[in-house]
Amino acid sequence: MKELSLAQRFTFFAIMITGALLRFYHYGEWSLSNDELSALNRLHYNSFSEIMEQGVKLNDMHPPGVQAFLYLWTNLFGVSENALRFPFVLLGIGSIFMLFLISRMWFNTNIALLTSAAFATLIFPVLYSQLARPYSPGLFFSLIAVYFWTKLILSEKNSIDWVYNIGFMIAGAACMYIHYFSFLFIGIIGITGLFLIPAKKRLIYTGTGVVMLAMMIPSFSIFKYQLSIGGLGGSGGWLGPPKSNAILLLIQYIFNDSNWLLSFYLLLFITFLIYYFAFNQQSKYKLRFTAVLFFIIPFLIAFFYSIFKNPVYQHSIMLFSFPYFLLFMFSFLPQSFSEKKSISVALLILVLTGLSTIAEKRFYSTQYFAVFKEPVAKTIEYNHKYGEKNLTSVANVFFSYYIDYYHEKFKIKIPYKLYNCSSPAQLAKLNVIASNSNTSYFSYIWSNTANPEEVEQIVSQYYPHLVEKINYFNSGVRLFSSANTKAQNDIFHPVFSTVWDFEKAQPGDDTSMITAAHFYSGLHAVGYTSEKEFGPTFKKKLSDMTYSDGCVIWLKVWIYTDTLPLKASLVLQVDEGNKTVLWRGADANDYVLTPGKWYPVFLAYRFSDPLPKDNILSVYVWNSGKAKFYADDLSIQILN
């Protein structure tokens, strides 16, 4: 830092302080994410070896480095949000410093100031510096690896640079243990270096890479198993393939998803290009091209792997390579720009990007991940307000620990009747719980898992008043009441409602199926046999049912059978002419728990995609297994 002028030092410290403040502020206040809680939950094994086998190899998609670190760190400092995230924030701050050093080595101090100013204040690196996951460590150690790699490549010494080789080897190995895309990034760096390093140093350089790979041997079984799974998508996976405009979406995301901020950076880039080529300052093209490779190759690999093999692409995996996109942009800052002008631009970047992050995008009040803290706090609030004996609570999360963590933090334990409602079988349990509950209030919280529309439908059968409904990012809270209250905010008011009780056949129905042998209400029901695959069907134009885009349809039918399992479904179907454009079914076997008893089967669907209102809605019971059973009281409701 001795070569910096006083003004440059002031600017550099302003960048570091701003970056540190942005990363430290509020870092322990926002809810732990699903992935952070998952990492903590996967520490609950009897030994370190079990953590590696069960907590990493079989139940994670990352190398073991961060999980091993968390095992040591949490044993020393606990699992509070502040303690958990603190080292990750520090590494995020350290990444600003490392990027500055790399930018100086590749180009000059003025370009380094501009690059680090943007990096210090953009949401992308700030957000992932506050997250106790592999991203901040992977970025930090990949930058250290590039730092030592650059020393090796640019060094003019004739002797072997052992310090730089060892530094590159250790930092690279760390990246391999942290995240598979920081692993990939190190591979790209290593291969690129073979073309740039002086020939006389190539053998030692290659040996360094071999030793680096050898350091992965202890975790090879984990790597081999996780590689066989391939990704987060595919059968049973939650991640879909990227769209064709993924690179444009990534660039927009890098610049805070802000049109004016993107325009500002684009204007800077164009201005630098004009000056650069006007003065014919074409230099350091190899490093500029290297910056492009470091950014674009990981993207292309992730993109095409996600398209042709299994989805892995997310913005987060580009964190390790996106600094080189910034470096490429600012590398065209011409030498003719004076120190004063360059510092002015750096400070302008610092201020405008900081304002976008803090004021425009409201970074510190925006939820970027599903929350757990807030739903738990609301459940505790309801418990205090109405009393534990007057409240039935259920939750919908992947693991009970995800909300138990916050109950332990708040030192208040609430007995949840159910921790998961995402599958039909769990919905059947929810129906049993709600139907047998004798409390005045019923609370439901969910986070980062499928939130079936059937939940509100089922609970409202027994608690028809919705007292409070709060939606967070991919999470939420519902409070139901069995009776009208002053606190009531909403009541379920269908815009269309009908119950088909099958007391008499409709025109066109098979009258032979109407029977008095068994019935849920009235005197008749519909009887299905091995010869009757389809029974009476409700049909109506969407326009005749007050249908509107985004509305929810609730279907319910009561089923009785003497034999299980039962292969039958409650079906929702929408036809456009002779073409079926929508089909949904609820398996009766999930809801009918014991033979010889009537059970309700539920099906709910939200019309998220617009449909022509002259389309025909059909609702029916499909006897796919050609079984003998009875159906009664087919209920159809539409709610806006």
Side-chain angles (χ1 to χ4, degrees), residues 416-428:
Y416 290 86
K417 298 292 186 181
L418 194 64
Y419 280 96
N420 189 285
C421 310
S422 58
S423 70
Q426 295 296 328
L427 289 172

Side-chain angles (χ1 to χ4, degrees), residues 14-26:
I15 291 168
M16 290 299 301
I17 291 170
T18 302
L21 289 174
L22 288 175
R23 285 157 177 77
F24 266 122
Y25 182 73
H26 202 252

Side-chain angles (χ1 to χ4, degrees), residues 32 36 100 127 158 166 187 192 380 449 451 458 514-515 518 526 554 574 602:
L32 291 182
E36 290 173 301
F100 176 82
L127 174 63
N158 291 323
I166 293 172
T192 304
I380 293 172
T449 187
N451 180 40
I458 291 170
I514 304 300
T515 177
H518 286 283
V526 178
W554 287 355
V574 178
F602 297 94

Side-chain angles (χ1 to χ4, degrees), residues 350-371:
L350 196 69
V351 171
L352 291 182
T353 311
L355 285 174
S356 172
T357 295
I358 297 170
E360 181 200 12
K361 294 301 178 178
R362 300 180 180 179
F363 174 74
Y364 297 105
S365 59
T366 300
Q367 294 163 353
Y368 293 91
F369 304 96
V371 298

